[in-house]
Amino acid sequence: AQSVTQPDIHITVSEGASLELRCNYSYGATPYLFWYVQSPGQGLQLLLKYFSGDTLVQGIKGFEAEFKRSQSSFNLRKPSVHWSDAAEYFCAETYNQGGKLIFGQGTELSVKP
Amino acid sequence: DGGITQSPKYLFRKEGQNVTLSCEQNLNHDAMYWYRQDPGQGLRLIYYSQIVNDFQKGDIAEGYSVSREKKESFPLTVTSAQKNPTAFYLCASSGGQGQETQYFGPGTRLLVL
C-alpha cells in the first residue's frame, strides 16, 4: 500500500537556523508530491509541489524541497527559520488515483527565540 | 475572492444525532474531498467526488454520508453510526482531470456533548 513517512514527529530549531524536514514516499514510480503547512485550528496551506521536471522546487515563504528518486525522498528545507514558521507540516503524495492524497503523520515545528 | 468555505467552525453533536458539515467552493473545481484529522494520525480520506452526482468511499467512510448535487457543494453528514466523531474535518477541492493539487478549507471541529 502507498504510504508517506515523516520520521520526525516534533522538531525544535532556533530562529535564524536552517531547517530540514524529512519525507519518504513508498511508490517506485514518479508520484506527485506536496508539502502543506497547518497552523493550529486552521486548514492546510500549500507550500510547494513536485510533478515532474527540475527536482529542486521552490515554494512560498522561502521554502524549497528536493525530489530524490534514489532515496524515495522529498525533504523540505528553509535556510533561515522565522518564529512565524512554527506550525505543523505535512508531506503528501498522489498517483492520480482519483486525486486521492496520502498524507504523512506530520511534523510539528517549534521555533526557539 | 475564490476559495473554499466550511461551516460551521465548531459543531456540537448529541448522542444519536446526525449532523451535517457544509463545504462550498467557488473555484470551479470538479473534484471535492472530505478528510478527517485526529491528533498524531495525519489526515484520512472519508469520501471524494470527481464529478457532480458521483462520489466514492475513501479509507474511513463508515458512519458518514455525502451528496454532490451541485458542483460547488459537497456536504458531509456524520451519522449516529459514527461512534467516535470528535475530530477536525477538512474539505478540499481540485481541478480534477490531471490537475491534482488540492486546496483546503479552514475546517470544522466537531465535538460530542
Side-chain angles (χ1 to χ4, degrees), chain A residues 61-75:
Chain A
K61 304 185 180 187
F63 286 93
E64 67 178 26
E66 186 171 13
F67 171 66
K68 292 186 178 180
R69 185 192 303 274
S70 61
Q71 298 177 19
S72 297
S73 70
F74 188 56
N75 294 349

Side-chain angles (χ1 to χ4, degrees), chain A residues 36 38 43 49 90 96 98-99, chain B residues 33 37 50 88 100-102 105:
Chain A
Y36 288 89
Q38 184 182 34
K49 61 188 177 185
F90 291 95
N96 200 23
Chain B
Y33 310 82
Q37 185 177 25
Q50 293 179 278
F88 192 50
E100 304 307 337
T101 303
Q102 292 186 21

